[in-house]
Amino acid sequence: MNEFGLAFHHFGLAVRSPDQAFGFLAALGYQQGETVFDPLQSVNLAMCYHADMPDVEVIWPSAEASPIDAMLKRRDSLIYHLCYTAADPADALLKMEKAGLAVLPAVEPRPAILFGGHEVSFYFVAGFGLIELIHCNPADATSLKT
Amino acid sequence: MSVSQIYESLTEIFQTVFDDDSLAATPELTAGDIDEWDSLSNLRLMLTVEKHFNIKFSAAEIGKLKNVGELAALIEAKL
């Protein structure tokens, strides 16, 4: 564990079209989880799991406008967030700010279909980037696989 | 701080964040007007605005903003 109480969960990879990303990950030995549509962000999502490598969440646009559209205008793909589990997200954020980090709330807590209904929230950390927090005990992270 | 001073500061912030000295913060300016203004650079922009004006935004406030005019009004309300 660390001073913020965060445990790494996955990389968030935004892609224009998922087929090549899935092909690459499959060749590395990743297992592809089910595809779900996130109605709050209007994106498609699929987690890819590996026994020895970090999990990767592949995110791609749907037919509706989404927050990743502009990011993908000038590039085909981008790892744009890192996700961590946090048993006490409020305490984690407080400790980050006490450590001198500037943290901006980006998406308020909401249940995530992809993670068994656990709440997730997003924050932008100055000088680091976007992080997603799954509001659950890190020990429960393995039960989030779908 | 006057509204015009807020826009002057926002112009400086936009020029710094998007590395473009030709940018001017106007009420009608939206993310669609600047190629580099995506969801990530928007968050960097908001953090810079927070720091400059010594204010705090919620995720809901950021999500509702439609243009720079609404951002300036929100800043004015928080000062």
Side-chain angles (χ1 to χ4, degrees), chain A residues 55-121:
Chain A
D55 291 345
V56 178
E57 180 185 28
V58 180
I59 303 120
W60 66 101
S62 67
E64 302 168 28
S66 76
I68 64 171
D69 294 350
M71 276 190 280
L72 295 171
K73 263 197 310 192
R74 285 169 290 118
R75 51 176 80 88
D76 289 331
S77 62
L78 172 71
I79 291 177
Y80 77 102
H81 77 257
L82 273 66
C83 179
Y84 304 86
T85 54
D88 188 344
D91 183 63
L93 294 167
L94 191 64
K95 286 174 176 168
M96 282 187 233
E97 292 189 349
K98 280 185 177 173
L101 294 167
V103 181
L104 180 76
V107 177
E108 291 182 333
R110 54 185 173 73
I113 301 167
L114 204 55
F115 302 122
H118 283 285
E119 285 197 322
V120 301
S121 52

Side-chain angles (χ1 to χ4, degrees), chain A residues 9 40 84-87 108-121 132-146:
Chain A
H9 191 265
L40 292 175
Y84 304 86
T85 54
E108 291 182 333
R110 54 185 173 73
I113 301 167
L114 204 55
F115 302 122
H118 283 285
E119 285 197 322
V120 301
S121 52
E132 177 182 20
L133 298 183
I134 305 175
H135 302 198
C136 77
N137 192 310
D140 298 333
T142 53
S143 68
L144 302 177
K145 296 186 177 184
T146 55

Side-chain angles (χ1 to χ4, degrees), chain A residues 96-97 99-104 124-127, chain B residues 47 50-51 56:
Chain A
M96 282 187 233
E97 292 189 349
L101 294 167
V103 181
L104 180 76
F124 191 80
V125 181
Chain B
L47 256 183
E50 275 194 345
K51 187 177 179 183
K56 287 284 186 186

Side-chain angles (χ1 to χ4, degrees), chain A residues 67-68 70-71 73-75 78-80 97 102-108 122-127 129-130, chain B residues 31-32 34-47 50-51 56-63:
Chain A
I68 64 171
M71 276 190 280
K73 263 197 310 192
R74 285 169 290 118
R75 51 176 80 88
L78 172 71
I79 291 177
Y80 77 102
E97 292 189 349
V103 181
L104 180 76
V107 177
E108 291 182 333
F122 286 81
Y123 305 87
F124 191 80
V125 181
L130 189 65
Chain B
I34 301 174
D35 279 347
E36 291 76 17
W37 193 350
D38 60 24
S39 54
L40 288 181
S41 58
N42 185 59
L43 293 170
R44 185 167 160 244
L45 176 71
M46 293 300 130
L47 256 183
E50 275 194 345
K51 187 177 179 183
K56 287 284 186 186
F57 296 127
S58 70
E61 287 171 333
I62 293 169

Side-chain angles (χ1 to χ4, degrees), chain A residues 8-11 30 47-50 53-57 145:
Chain A
F8 182 79
H9 191 265
H10 68 260
F11 291 105
Y30 276 84
M47 284 296 300
C48 294
Y49 307 102
H50 195 288
M53 297 189 200
D55 291 345
V56 178
E57 180 185 28
K145 296 186 177 184

